[in-house]
Amino acid sequence: MAKSIMIQGTMSNVGKSLLVTGLCRIFKQDGYRVAPFKSQNMALNSYITQDNLEMGRAQAVQAEACGIEPQVCMNPILLKPTGDMGSQVIVNGEVIGNMCAMDYYKQKRSYLPVIQAAYHQLEEAYDIIVIEGAGSPAELNLKQEDIVNMGMAELVDAPVLLVGDIDRGGVFAQLIGTVLLLEPTEQARIKGLIVNKFRGDKQILAPGLSILTHRCGKEVLGVVPYMDVEIEEEDSLAEELKQTTSDSRLQTKIDIAVIRLPHISNFTDFQAFVMEPTVSLRYVERVSQLKEPDVVILPGTKNTMQDMHWLRTSGLETQILRLVERGTLVIGICGGYQMLGEQIKDPYEVEDGRSIRGMGLLPMITQFEAQKTRTRVKGHIADLPGVWHALSSTQISGYEIHMGHSIGSDKTAQPLILLPGKTDGCCRNGVLGTYLHGMFEEEAFRIAFVQLLCARKGIPYGIQTTIPFYEYKEQQYDKIAAVLRDSLDMEAIYRILNR
């Protein structure tokens, strides 16, 4: 049976996912069969497995770091917020419905058998399971029904490493306060502390670490520096979403502006642009930030209708329409694609039961359905006219994950992607839309797309990196592992693991 170790944090976004990713990589490098696990994840970025089931993106990334195929048992419960008070609840990769927060809270412990079965499936197949907590274990109002922090650790008898974020300040209060708010049995489960995201001279920090150990009675197992690495993040706190300003050299760069919708999902679609030195990618949430980009992208969203209303009332819709008139290219992905059409209908009350006018840039109408489409696909770009012609016949792959279908409203809609037995998306003039997530990870398509933009702008394509995106990600996982080996007491961690 597998051994386990759990990473918990003093709050959200302290770096738990990154540390789990790095530890997974280290254990793999050391010859162990290792897998990640998170009993309950709340995120709008999700992943579709090979068997067309939906799971949290972070556990898919961690599985990649382990060198294994992501499986839904690594994240048996996924919550995708639909608003401030509710979420779509996904269990074992299947949607079971939308719930308000209180209803889910009242029944979440009923999912313990699901969690146990998923964990047991991994336990039989791997040597080590690295478990990730969520938020903080010291949320006193949530502790009684906890299934993801100390409740999970107790369920599988996992030792815990507690992580604090020094970058945001108050790391001593974070760690000491969290430990002291826990019950004695929970305190005993914590086997070490980690200070994460440190910048500066560790010698200056040393006296504080001694005080930390004295006050908590827990050994500090390492101080991890702030890491400049490129891996996919899963939630709206991601650092990359804070990039709102243009590169100062935009005369020699392609300026891509992604609209940061309130319910933005799967923004990891754009991670692969890190491979393109000619591209400057930024996120926009106000008219004043939009300026005159070469391309505007409307990304996926968990609430298309609310975000369409926000786009309209914020003034961004009007500004995007003005840019289109001046020749700016526009791309919509999934919910963003739905917004580009003429109308969005919701007869089954998937969102709020209304119909809403779209932007009218593509000749199609969307209707929400009660059943979610989840599938991985491979195909190629159709023979496209006009500005998009350079993309024609390019091989493409990715995944679909959406609650509606879109049909052309007239014959001017040009199908975009040819798939086995069907087509996906459409384009008209300088506007293009698709349900396909992950298409920019396809090297040939991404390169053709950026070359097209460079030709339009009259700038050289730039020096292309010599490795595929998947190899670049492998380098990033190795980089994280190297930093952790240098920063953490791995001998102590192995002792904790083998207790």
Side-chain angles (χ1 to χ4, degrees):
M1 303 298 282
K3 298 172 181 177
S4 63
I5 192 164
M6 187 171 192
I7 302 296
Q8 295 185 18
T10 56
M11 56 183 161
S12 297
N13 204 38
V14 300
K16 295 186 294 291
S17 295
L18 189 69
L19 294 181
V20 169
T21 302
L23 286 174
C24 283
R25 191 61 158 199
I26 287 173
F27 294 140
K28 175 187 181 294
Q29 291 171 341
D30 291 350
Y32 294 95
R33 297 173 304 163
V34 57
F37 184 81
K38 187 167 185 173
S39 57
Q40 172 193 287
N41 202 345
M42 178 177 282
L44 288 176
N45 275 355
S46 59
Y47 178 88
I48 301 299
T49 65
Q50 292 289 354
D51 47 358
N52 296 327
L53 298 173
E54 189 174 3
M55 64 183 287
R57 194 88 192 176
Q59 283 62 62
V61 168
Q62 291 158 0
E64 283 186 353
C66 296
I68 58 177
E69 186 67 32
Q71 299 172 267
V72 77
C73 59
M74 298 169 183
N75 173 218
I77 300 175
L78 175 62
L79 306 178
K80 301 187 78 172
T82 56
D84 294 337
M85 297 293 289
S87 295
Q88 184 182 77
V89 181
I90 298 167
V91 178
N92 283 334
E94 303 271 6
V95 176
I96 65 169
N98 291 346
M99 292 188 193
C100 69
M102 183 56 71
D103 287 345
Y104 177 74
Y105 175 76
K106 288 177 179 177
Q107 66 176 346
K108 67 178 181 178
R109 287 189 69 84
S110 66
Y111 295 120
L112 281 175
V114 171
I115 293 169
Q116 287 176 307
Y119 185 85
H120 184 61
Q121 186 176 341
L122 295 175
E123 195 176 32
E124 291 185 324
Y126 296 95
D127 303 318
I128 298 173
I129 301 174
V130 186
I131 309 170
E132 181 181 342
S136 165
E139 302 291 352
L140 303 182
N141 58 316
L142 302 177
K143 278 169 58 68
Q144 187 174 356
E145 306 299 327
D146 175 52
I147 59 173
V148 69
N149 285 309
M150 284 299 177
M152 181 66 215
E154 182 178 356
L155 186 68
V156 299
D157 192 27
V160 173
L161 305 182
L162 183 64
V163 182
D165 176 3
I166 196 171
D167 190 53
R168 286 188 280 179
V171 73
F172 299 108
Q174 290 175 40
L175 290 166
I176 295 171
T178 299
V179 172
L180 294 181
L181 284 171
L182 297 175
E183 299 298 325
T185 53
E186 296 170 330
Q187 293 180 9
R189 195 168 288 283
I190 297 175
K191 304 303 181 183
L193 308 176
I194 297 173
V195 175
N196 196 25
K197 303 184 187 179
F198 180 72
R199 308 175 197 249
D201 188 340
K202 290 183 182 180
Q203 291 183 336
I204 298 174
L205 189 61
L209 301 182
S210 299
I211 296 170
L212 193 56
T213 298
H214 175 72
R215 295 289 297 271
C216 289
K218 309 292 179 184
E219 183 182 359
V220 178
L221 298 181
V223 177
V224 180
Y226 197 102
M227 282 188 259
D228 182 17
V229 291
E230 292 281 353
I231 68 167
E232 295 175 357
E233 297 190 67
E234 70 173 359
D235 60 34
S236 59
L237 295 174
E239 286 295 319
E240 64 190 89
L241 291 182
K242 298 174 184 176
Q243 176 61 37
T244 60
T245 57
S246 302
D247 190 289
S248 60
R249 299 162 296 165
L250 284 184
Q251 294 82 1
T252 58
K253 289 247 186 185
I254 299 300
D255 180 17
I256 299 179
V258 180
I259 304 301
R260 184 176 177 176
L261 302 168
H263 301 94
I264 186 172
S265 65
N266 288 78
F267 57 83
T268 49
D269 283 341
F270 317 115
Q271 188 82 22
F273 282 119
V274 70
M275 307 298 293
E276 302 295 336
T278 314
V279 169
S280 173
L281 187 137
R282 57 195 175 92
Y283 290 84
V284 171
E285 53 189 344
R286 292 190 295 274
V287 171
S288 61
Q289 297 171 335
L290 187 55
K291 305 186 189 311
E292 295 190 5
D294 300 298
V295 185
V296 174
I297 298 181
L298 290 170
T301 167
K302 190 64 191 71
N303 199 315
T304 304
M305 288 189 165
Q306 280 192 25
D307 284 0
M308 183 68 245
H309 178 72
W310 172 85
L311 195 73
R312 187 157 286 151
T313 57
S314 69
L316 280 166
E317 179 191 28
T318 298
Q319 190 59 24
I320 292 170
L321 294 174
R322 288 172 180 164
L323 288 173
V324 169
E325 290 179 356
R326 296 202 290 266
T328 301
L329 302 182
V330 174
I331 294 175
I333 300 174
C334 200
Y337 169 41
Q338 294 171 340
M339 292 180 188
L340 292 176
E342 296 169 354
Q343 190 177 24
I344 305 165
K345 302 177 180 179
D346 186 18
Y348 300 102
E349 297 185 350
V350 172
E351 291 189 3
D352 62 9
R354 296 181 299 147
S355 290
I356 190 171
R357 175 174 55 85
M359 297 177 69
L361 291 173
L362 289 176
M364 60 87 176
I365 295 171
T366 295
Q367 179 170 301
F368 291 155
E369 303 288 348
Q371 189 69 29
K372 177 179 280 192
T373 297
R374 305 182 315 265
T375 183
R376 302 190 69 85
V377 297
K378 289 186 177 181
H380 64 274
I381 301 295
D383 185 12
L384 301 182
V387 66
W388 304 111
H389 181 68
L391 302 179
S392 298
S393 302
T394 309
Q395 294 297 308
I396 197 163
S397 63
Y399 59 96
E400 294 182 41
I401 175 171
H402 52 91
M403 296 294 290
H405 72 273
S406 302
I407 57 173
S409 58
D410 64 42
K411 294 182 179 180
T412 65
Q414 163 69 45
L416 178 67
I417 302 172
L418 304 181
L419 301 168
K422 66 173 186 177
T423 63
D424 170 78
C426 67
C427 66
R428 184 171 67 181
N429 300 325
V431 181
L432 175 155
T434 175
Y435 275 116
L436 200 63
H437 292 285
M439 61 184 180
F440 294 116
E441 293 186 22
E442 193 72 53
E443 307 292 328
F445 175 79
R446 188 185 66 248
I447 291 170
F449 174 69
V450 177
Q451 287 178 333
L452 177 157
L453 299 177
C454 288
R456 274 176 57 88
K457 194 165 185 174
I459 62 174
Y461 171 52
I463 301 172
Q464 172 63 29
T465 51
T466 58
I467 61 172
F469 184 50
Y470 76 88
E471 288 186 19
Y472 178 79
K473 290 195 289 184
E474 287 292 301
Q475 291 179 353
Q476 298 303 296
Y477 299 142
D478 287 339
K479 182 178 178 180
I480 298 166
V483 172
L484 293 191
R485 283 188 189 275
D486 188 54
S487 306
L488 299 179
D489 186 343
M490 287 305 303
E491 289 186 8
I493 290 174
Y494 270 114
R495 286 196 300 270
I496 292 166
L497 191 65
N498 293 310
R499 72 197 192 289

